[in-house]
Amino acid sequence: MLDFFTIFSKGGLVLWCFQGVSDSCTGPVNALIRSVLLQERGGNNSFTHEALTLKYKLDNQFELVFVVGFQKILTLTYVDKLIDDVHRLFRDKYRTEIQQQSALSLLNGTFDFQNDFLRLLREAEESSKVRAPTTMKKFEDSEKAKKPVRSMIETRGEKPKEKAKNSKKNKGAKKEGSDGPLATSKAVPAEKSGLPVGPENGIELSKEELIRRKREEFIQKHGRGMEKSSKSSKSDAPKEKGKKAPRVWALGGSVNKEVLDYSAPTANGAPEGAPPEDINLIRGTGSGRQLQDLDCSSSDDEGAAQHSTKPSATKGTLGGMFGMLKGLVGSKSLSREDMESVLDKMRDHLIAKNVAADIAVQLCESVANKLEGKVMGTFSSKYLPGPGSAWVGITHPRRPPRPPPFLLAVTSTVKLALQESLVQILQPQRRVDMLRDIMDAQRHQRPYVVTFCGVNGVGKSTNLAKISFWLLENGFSVLIAACDTFRAGAVEQLRTHTQRLRALHPPENHGGRAMVQLFEKGYGKDAAGIAMEAIAFARNQGFDVVLVDTAGRMQDNAPLMTALAKLITVNTPDLVLFVGEALVGNEAVDQLVKFNRALADHSMAQTPRLIDGIVLTKFDTIDDKVGAAISMTYITSKPIVFVGTGQTYCDLRSLNAKAVVAALMKA
């Protein structure tokens, strides 16, 4: 049973809606729009929201979205067929209203689709019912049982029918191309032989044998008559030897008709040996192929004729060429077959740039769903070759042949759509603005708490120090909580960073107040308790920000992941940042997914606190292999807040989505 089925435009206008079990479809559809459609994550046509499963279909030609919702515990096999049938019928029925492409026409339009939808739903449900298994066919009902036994017997010296089919075809072709007497001479011995032939002698001939014998009889009857008629026609035609008189052409004035009259003397009003009617083809008056007249003009006239006809020919050629290209590209709607080769190359390119393989497939599928059915724009001059270059299909000695214009247009369209999707993915729905959130916490007179987590050796402590320097530069006081009580030297490393930062921002420059301080309790203590004490100390001392450093742990270590979930649940930080390095590529995706899942599984709260953002380190070591940023953002919808680009405190950047996509698309 369906919960709902709705049809709306990409502009947000609901054209028609069916309410089944569910009272309202607003919440699930809005979640689909926010999480899938706006984020360019349309690689899969299914979306799960709470207890519902939503399946959708995009119509890019008319900018429509078809969405059906049902309980995810149900297995409805007819949903895909239903949504295809509804899409086809609704588009064909209301094509005129939809093609006007104006919000006012859609609002004023009446889409009475209830009865049609119920009929399609009934048909889809009936087609999905379990059918009784078909009974096994008996031998008496098979085609083999209907064949007579005589047709299965092979006589000695006779080829089987399956093997003789090709040989009979070749023999038939040779007999058709051979002369009549030769064919009859070969056919006569078969007739004169004493073999019993025909059904009257008890032998049934196959279809091929009957056709062959009928052909032989026809050739035997009519072959010799045709040969005699052809020989008589050849002998009756007189043969003229040589030219009777030299032909004289006048350079100017009138031409003497008697000189040019080379017709034979007439007999009974008709010329003897009249030429056949096909001679009219020379002047174009016959019904056959027209031949051009002989050009006997002088060289000057020839040049003038060439100059006079050149512009018109060029104009006609260009006009026909542009008309052909306009018809080829301007009215062509994209299909999966048109984009398949381009998308395959794009997918391989993304994988080579360190994008996870399954994510690259989903990205290309999302682009295909976005472009399928869209009509290509008019033919642009950017797809035409420049001056001096070879046209499509014409080889050039120094350049390879250019691809067809439509392929160029498809490649450019797919590449542009992929770039837009990647930029949209790197700009997720939740934007992290730390400075604004810190000022909001100041108004409530409480510290803003940030917790760092990640695997071993990714640079958590170093990037914590970089963020501390960035906050100090913006005028906020920072308290660093040393909650890594496991790794040897972790507290000393943070103490050294604190001394360096205090030297850069001495208390004398801030009215005698220490802008950065370290809160530490040594090793072997409970990390969650140290973080709680640090937050209370920051509230009493008036610190603006608390940065909590945690121990590195592998995503598969359940006890350490439980301790991290406890720290986050007890202290409820304002921001949880996952620190991952860009060098590991697809491994960073696995780490991020498992950290997020472990926090949800080991949390004691009813609504567990998950990762809010990503700090991507060592970004300066990967050149243009920036695929890890796409993979991590796509799989979790979490924004990349900071990017580490070096070893100094100043080597901290915010992510520039367009620059990352440009590096990703670079060949």
Side-chain angles (χ1 to χ4, degrees):
M1 189 65 183
L2 299 182
D3 283 44
F4 63 87
F5 196 111
T6 180
I7 304 172
F8 58 93
S9 67
K10 289 187 178 180
L13 296 176
V14 179
L15 306 183
W16 179 82
C17 184
F18 166 77
Q19 293 289 342
V21 180
S22 178
D23 297 333
S24 175
C25 62
T26 306
V29 173
N30 286 339
L32 172 70
I33 294 172
R34 286 194 304 266
S35 304
V36 178
L37 301 182
L38 293 180
Q39 298 297 318
E40 301 289 346
R41 301 174 189 272
N44 188 9
N45 66 341
S46 181
F47 173 71
T48 303
H49 175 71
E50 295 178 353
L52 294 178
T53 296
L54 278 69
K55 287 199 172 184
Y56 62 94
K57 183 179 181 64
L58 303 178
D59 189 335
N60 296 307
Q61 184 177 0
F62 297 113
E63 302 291 329
L64 298 178
V65 184
F66 299 78
V67 182
V68 58
F70 55 93
Q71 296 293 323
K72 65 180 180 181
I73 61 173
L74 301 177
T75 304
L76 303 181
T77 58
Y78 62 85
V79 171
D80 293 329
K81 179 182 183 303
L82 175 64
I83 199 169
D84 290 338
D85 294 342
V86 171
H87 165 242
R88 190 181 305 108
L89 181 60
F90 187 87
R91 182 190 59 187
D92 296 341
K93 186 174 182 179
Y94 301 106
R95 182 182 297 270
T96 306
E97 290 86 345
I98 299 170
Q99 280 181 340
Q100 293 180 7
Q101 296 291 337
S102 63
L104 186 60
S105 63
L106 293 178
L107 285 173
N108 295 333
T110 56
F111 301 96
D112 187 10
F113 197 66
Q114 188 77 10
N115 296 331
D116 295 329
F117 174 77
L118 293 177
R119 177 177 57 82
L120 293 176
L121 178 61
R122 199 180 311 112
E123 293 175 357
E125 289 177 347
E126 291 176 357
S127 65
S128 66
K129 290 181 181 179
V130 180
R131 299 176 181 175
T134 57
T135 58
M136 185 177 294
K137 189 166 60 174
K138 298 180 180 179
F139 176 75
E140 290 76 9
D141 301 331
S142 64
E143 295 181 359
K144 190 173 183 180
K146 298 176 183 178
K147 292 182 178 180
V149 180
R150 191 176 292 175
S151 64
M152 301 181 188
I153 299 175
E154 295 181 5
T155 58
R156 189 174 182 181
E158 185 180 353
K159 294 182 179 179
K161 292 182 181 180
E162 289 80 4
K163 296 181 180 179
K165 280 185 180 179
N166 295 330
S167 60
K168 286 177 182 177
K169 290 181 181 178
N170 296 335
K171 288 179 181 178
K174 290 180 181 179
K175 288 176 182 177
E176 287 177 359
S178 60
D179 292 332
L182 185 61
T184 53
S185 64
K186 290 183 180 179
V188 167
E191 297 292 335
K192 291 182 178 181
S193 62
L195 296 175
V197 177
E200 63 275 2
N201 294 323
I203 298 178
E204 294 183 0
L205 297 178
S206 63
K207 188 177 180 181
E208 290 83 0
E209 288 288 338
L210 288 174
I211 294 173
R212 184 175 65 83
R213 292 194 180 279
K214 292 291 184 183
R215 185 183 294 132
E216 291 175 356
E217 291 176 3
F218 179 81
I219 294 174
Q220 185 179 1
K221 290 179 181 179
H222 302 284
R224 293 180 179 178
M226 293 172 61
E227 181 193 5
K228 290 179 180 179
S229 62
S230 62
K231 286 183 177 180
S232 61
S233 62
K234 288 181 182 178
S235 60
D236 293 342
K239 296 182 180 179
E240 297 182 3
K241 296 182 179 180
K243 217 172 185 181
K244 293 183 178 180
R247 186 169 300 192
V248 180
W249 295 93
L251 296 176
S254 61
V255 182
N256 190 359
K257 295 181 180 180
E258 297 179 357
V259 178
L260 297 178
D261 187 7
Y262 289 92
S263 60
T266 60
N268 298 328
E272 297 179 1
E277 294 181 357
D278 292 341
I279 199 69
N280 290 333
L281 296 178
I282 297 177
R283 289 295 174 185
T285 57
S287 59
R289 178 169 52 91
Q290 295 185 3
L291 301 179
Q292 295 181 357
D293 293 339
L294 183 65
D295 189 6
C296 300
S297 59
S298 62
S299 60
D300 295 335
D301 296 335
E302 210 170 273
Q306 286 180 359
H307 287 296
S308 62
T309 57
K310 194 171 184 179
S312 62
T314 307
K315 183 177 179 181
T317 305
L318 289 176
M321 185 183 300
F322 281 108
M324 177 191 67
L325 295 175
K326 183 179 179 182
L328 179 66
V329 179
S331 60
K332 174 74 174 176
S333 59
L334 282 177
S335 62
R336 291 273 179 158
E337 291 75 14
D338 297 331
M339 299 182 287
E340 186 175 359
S341 60
V342 180
L343 288 174
D344 289 344
K345 293 180 181 178
M346 291 292 179
R347 184 189 65 246
D348 297 340
H349 178 77
L350 291 176
I351 294 174
K353 292 287 186 174
N354 228 358
V355 179
D358 53 344
I359 294 176
V361 172
Q362 294 179 25
L363 283 171
C364 294
E365 186 68 20
S366 175
V367 171
N369 292 337
K370 182 180 178 181
L371 295 179
E372 186 178 9
K374 276 200 170 183
V375 179
M376 296 287 294
T378 54
F379 194 72
S380 166
S381 61
K382 65 182 178 180
Y383 303 126
L384 288 173
S389 62
W391 182 245
V392 177
I394 303 176
T395 56
H396 195 276
R398 297 181 181 177
R399 299 188 187 95
R402 294 175 62 87
F406 180 67
L407 181 59
L408 288 174
V410 171
T411 304
S412 177
T413 303
V414 171
K415 186 176 180 180
L416 183 61
L418 183 61
Q419 287 178 346
E420 293 175 354
S421 299
L422 293 174
V423 171
Q424 192 69 29
I425 288 169
L426 290 175
Q427 296 174 347
Q429 50 188 345
R430 185 178 185 271
R431 183 172 177 268
V432 177
D433 192 346
M434 283 186 62
L435 299 181
R436 183 193 61 189
D437 296 340
I438 292 170
M439 289 187 288
D440 184 66
Q442 282 180 336
R443 286 193 293 270
H444 292 83
Q445 296 181 355
R446 66 174 184 84
Y448 185 81
V449 183
V450 183
T451 300
F452 295 82
C453 62
V455 300
N456 309 79
V458 294
K460 291 185 298 298
S461 301
T462 303
N463 284 274
L464 182 146
K466 292 180 182 180
I467 294 174
S468 300
F469 177 75
W470 175 69
L471 293 172
L472 291 173
E473 290 289 321
N474 284 278
F476 298 109
S477 57
V478 179
L479 177 67
I480 300 176
C483 296
D484 185 359
T485 61
F486 179 76
R487 178 173 62 91
V491 178
E492 288 77 13
Q493 181 183 5
L494 291 178
R495 187 180 295 121
T496 304
H497 280 305
T498 304
Q499 294 172 357
R500 289 282 300 158
L501 293 171
R502 191 178 298 162
L504 294 173
H505 287 272
E508 295 80 15
N509 296 344
H510 300 277
R513 180 190 175 191
M515 294 296 291
V516 58
Q517 189 174 340
L518 176 66
F519 186 90
E520 47 103 0
K521 293 291 183 178
Y523 295 97
K525 306 292 178 63
D526 182 29
I530 296 175
M532 183 180 294
E533 294 179 15
I535 294 171
F537 179 80
R539 184 181 293 108
N540 296 332
Q541 297 297 323
F543 281 95
D544 300 323
V545 185
V546 178
L547 302 181
V548 181
D549 184 30
T550 61
R553 64 205 76 203
M554 295 305 295
Q555 64 269 24
D556 300 321
N557 194 325
L560 293 180
M561 293 305 300
T562 304
L564 178 63
K566 175 188 173 184
L567 184 148
I568 293 176
T569 303
V570 170
N571 296 285
T572 61
D574 298 282
L575 186 65
V576 180
L577 293 178
F578 174 81
V579 183
E581 58 181 0
L583 279 173
V584 296
N586 298 334
E587 176 65 18
V589 179
D590 182 67
Q591 295 171 2
L592 180 57
V593 171
K594 290 186 176 180
F595 258 81
N596 225 15
R597 188 182 306 153
L599 291 179
D601 294 342
H602 300 293
S603 177
M604 296 175 291
Q606 186 176 2
T607 56
R609 184 62 186 279
L610 304 179
I611 292 171
D612 300 314
I614 303 169
V615 178
L616 198 57
T617 65
K618 306 175 185 179
F619 207 71
D620 55 320
T621 62
I622 58 173
D623 195 21
D624 59 348
K625 303 282 192 301
V626 295
I630 299 291
S631 301
M632 296 173 74
T633 311
Y634 184 88
I635 203 69
T636 60
S637 301
K638 305 300 180 184
I640 297 178
V641 185
F642 298 106
V643 176
T645 58
Q647 298 296 321
T648 66
Y649 292 138
C650 299
D651 294 329
L652 190 72
R653 302 285 186 273
S654 60
L655 184 70
N656 187 348
K658 293 184 178 180
V660 172
V661 172
L664 188 68
M665 299 301 293
K666 185 172 65 174

